[in-house]
């Protein structure tokens, strides 16, 4: 099939759809805490403080979708279909986002967030499996990198615009009448999910893969290497390092007030530091992914995990705002060298009809890490500011050793597809 700079056109279309959905979904990261603190929602908080309830609501998306991903990934393998699962997830996401405009009690908010987590379980593993199915061994890294780049652009843009949309309300519209800033944000999130639904419906076709249809293959994760060459299964190992990497990324998110006091800076600077990681990912995911098609996946993963050690640890000791920005950007460089290459390597290891199950191991592990990071940092920071960063750096060091000892390259580097393939 003809490619565009080594990337399947359908992967670009899928990436655009995920970018649209990510803009709206990331809107909620900013909007929901403001909504919880507003007068629009009230009721019992289950014995939690408002801040604790906010943490629960934000974490629920990852905590719900992560354990479900192996099941949805396996189901898509058994049926040999991906598109219908993506569309089903996007429809739930759009309906839940729209329904936030009717919320008046905290329990409703939690229920909708759980529903969005279920939607994520249908979207995340099946879109990654689709990318893997549409790519070839010789351009899988470039396709994975491009897909992740677009997704991260959406994730980065959403929070920047969300606060402004809420603050600019209420809106006086000709037909609708007065619309609060919160309702406008929720309708926008629903619109972006709907737009993604339309893009997938029109532009994406299910690849020709054989359904497994084998009930004997469960969703259980192989921990030990069945070949006996290594102790741990290589896909499980890639999942473990994805979990470690996600923890290192996420510990920064909940420490905003402490970081601002420590570095004597304002929230704007913290926002720039938070965005530095995403910026590095946006700039480097695609070129690094493409480079792995030429030079192999494993070496990039090893270098990236090794680079995560100092770039994470230094965040616990720096006392300058711009040094923190540089450390976060360097951590993003390290993350770019790990995430897309790991997905591509897992895709190389997956069977033709089993990529949904295989790749869900990595996406599930990453989701758990994103959820666990803030919880760990909130607890460990009481023992010293550097403690959560030191722990995360130690996990990255362990992950480096795991890749070196438990993972091998499974393709011949240097074989690349032409632009006309």
């Amino acid at each position: 099939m003809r490619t565009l700079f080594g990337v399947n056109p359908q992967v670009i279309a899928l990436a655009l759809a995920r970018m649209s959905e990510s803009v709206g979904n990331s809107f909620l990261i900013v909007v929901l805490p403001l909504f919880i603190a507003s007068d629009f929602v009230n009721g019992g908080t289950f014995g939690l403080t408002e801040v604790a309830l906010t943490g629960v609501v934000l974490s629920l998306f990852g905590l719900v979708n992560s354990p479900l991903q192996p099941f949805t990934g396996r189901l898509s393998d058994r049926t040999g279909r991906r598109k219908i699962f993506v569309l089903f997830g996007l429809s739930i996401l759009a309906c839940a986002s729209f329904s936030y405009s009717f919320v008046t009690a905290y329990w409703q908010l939690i229920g909708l967030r759980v529903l969005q987590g279920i939607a994520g379980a249908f979207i995340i593993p099946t879109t990654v499996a689709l990318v893997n199915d549409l790519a070839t061994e010789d351009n899988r890294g470039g396709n994975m990198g491009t897909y992740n780049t677009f997704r991260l652009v959406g994730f980065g843009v959403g929070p920047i615009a969300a606060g402004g949309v809420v603050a600019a309300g209420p809106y006086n519209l000709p037909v609708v009448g007065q619309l609060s800033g919160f309702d406008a944000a929720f309708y926008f999130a629903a619109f972006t999910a709907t737009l993604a639904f339309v893009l997938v419906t029109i532009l994406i076709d299910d690849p020709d893969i054989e359904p497994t249809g084998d009930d004997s293959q469960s969703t259980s994760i192989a921990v030990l290497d069945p070949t006996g060459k290594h102790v741990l299964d290589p896909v499980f190992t890639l999942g473990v390092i994805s979990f470690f990497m996600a923890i290192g990324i996420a510990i920064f998110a909940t420490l905003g007030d402490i970081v601002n006091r420590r570095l004597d800076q304002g929230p704007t600077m913290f926002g720039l530091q938070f965005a530095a990681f995403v910026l590095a990912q946006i700039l480097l995911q695609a070129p690094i992914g493409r480079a792995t098609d030429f030079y192999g996946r494993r070496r990039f993963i090893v270098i990236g995990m090794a680079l995560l050690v100092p770039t994470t640890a230094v965040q616990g000791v720096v006392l300058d705002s711009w040094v923190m920005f540089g450390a976060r950007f360097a951590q993003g460089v390290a993350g770019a060298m790990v995430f897309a290459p790991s997905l591509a390597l897992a895709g190389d290891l997956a069977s033709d009809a089993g990529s949904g199950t295989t790749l869900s191991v990595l996406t599930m592990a990453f989701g758990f890490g994103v959820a666990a990071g803030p919880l760990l940092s909130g607890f460990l920071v009481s023992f010293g500011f550097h403690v959560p960063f030191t722990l995360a750096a130690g996990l990255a060091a362990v992950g480096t050793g795991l890749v070196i000892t438990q993972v091998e390259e499974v393709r011949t580097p240097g074989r690349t597809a032409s632009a006309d393939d």
Side-chain angles (χ1 to χ4, degrees):
M1 177 174 179
R2 184 174 294 276
T3 62
L4 182 63
F5 301 110
V7 180
N8 187 306
Q10 286 204 76
V11 170
I12 296 176
L14 186 63
L16 287 170
R18 277 306 311 272
M19 181 177 71
S20 174
E21 171 264 320
S22 294
V23 169
N25 207 20
S26 63
F27 242 60
L28 301 178
I29 296 174
V30 173
V31 173
L32 288 179
L34 298 175
F35 190 57
I36 290 170
S38 72
D39 295 329
F40 286 88
V41 61
N42 49 52
T45 59
F46 317 102
L48 300 173
T49 65
E50 200 172 83
V51 174
L53 181 65
T54 300
V56 169
V57 168
L58 292 180
S59 297
L60 271 174
F61 183 81
L63 292 175
V64 171
N65 80 62
S66 295
L68 293 177
Q69 288 184 36
F71 295 91
T72 53
R74 176 65 187 139
L75 191 57
S76 73
D77 289 339
R78 287 185 58 194
T79 59
R81 302 178 69 187
R82 316 287 190 202
K83 181 177 175 178
I84 188 64
F85 291 92
V86 179
L87 293 176
F88 181 68
L90 288 171
S91 63
I92 295 177
L93 196 65
C95 291
S97 296
F98 182 82
S99 297
Y100 280 119
S101 61
F102 300 105
V103 165
T104 57
Y106 293 118
W107 69 266
Q108 297 167 345
L109 199 63
I110 290 174
L112 287 176
R113 198 61 175 159
V114 169
L115 198 60
Q116 287 191 310
I118 295 171
F122 281 91
I123 296 169
I124 296 169
T126 48
T127 51
V128 174
L130 254 177
V131 175
N132 188 70
D133 296 337
L134 293 167
T136 68
E137 180 185 284
D138 298 323
N139 63 23
R140 184 169 287 121
N143 278 270
M144 287 292 186
T146 300
Y147 165 80
N148 278 313
T149 296
F150 279 84
R151 183 180 60 83
L152 286 166
V153 168
F155 183 79
V157 168
I160 295 173
V165 170
V166 173
Y171 301 88
N172 292 308
L173 302 179
V175 178
V176 180
Q178 191 174 83
L179 194 68
S180 73
F182 289 114
D183 283 347
F186 296 143
Y187 293 161
F188 180 78
F191 168 76
T192 58
T194 303
L195 177 59
F197 183 97
V198 172
L199 289 173
V200 172
T201 299
I202 296 173
L203 300 177
I204 304 299
D205 295 318
D206 267 321
D208 186 17
I209 58 173
E210 280 292 324
T212 60
D214 185 359
D215 292 331
S216 65
Q217 296 187 39
S218 71
T219 55
S220 60
I221 298 170
V223 176
L224 302 180
D225 186 359
T227 68
K229 294 179 65 176
H230 304 287
V231 176
L232 298 177
D233 180 80
V235 174
F236 176 79
T237 303
L238 293 171
V240 170
I241 68 167
S242 296
F243 176 72
F244 290 166
M245 177 182 66
I247 287 177
I249 297 166
I251 55 173
F252 191 77
T254 54
L255 302 178
D257 289 341
I258 299 174
V259 170
N260 290 341
R261 290 196 302 268
R262 177 181 171 84
L263 303 183
D264 191 23
Q265 64 182 28
T268 300
M269 190 66 205
F270 179 81
L272 288 173
Q273 291 160 350
F274 186 85
F277 180 92
V278 178
L279 176 62
Q281 294 273 304
I282 290 171
L283 293 174
L284 296 173
Q285 282 266 331
I288 287 176
R290 184 59 175 155
T292 69
D293 294 328
F294 284 87
Y295 304 111
R297 328 280 192 208
R298 181 177 176 272
R299 69 182 67 187
F300 284 90
I301 301 171
V302 171
I303 295 170
M305 288 301 297
L307 185 58
L308 275 175
V309 178
T311 57
T312 303
V314 74
Q315 294 176 43
V317 296
V318 299
L319 297 172
D320 180 84
S321 296
W322 286 108
V323 174
M324 180 67 84
F325 177 89
R328 287 283 298 173
F329 187 88
Q331 189 186 42
V333 174
M337 299 181 75
V338 175
F339 194 52
S342 294
L343 286 171
L345 182 52
D348 294 337
L349 289 162
S351 64
D352 291 340
S355 60
T357 304
T358 301
L359 293 171
S360 69
V361 174
L362 275 68
T363 56
M364 174 184 67
F366 188 84
F368 271 132
V370 169
L375 297 176
L376 280 174
S377 63
F379 172 74
L380 293 174
V381 74
S382 61
F383 298 98
F385 180 77
H386 70 92
V387 173
F389 296 99
T390 301
L391 172 66
L395 292 176
V398 172
T400 305
L402 287 175
V403 177
I404 292 172
T405 59
Q406 305 299 314
V407 179
E408 293 183 359
E409 193 71 65
V410 297
R411 59 182 294 278
T412 303
R415 290 172 51 221
T416 56
S418 70
D420 293 327
D421 285 349

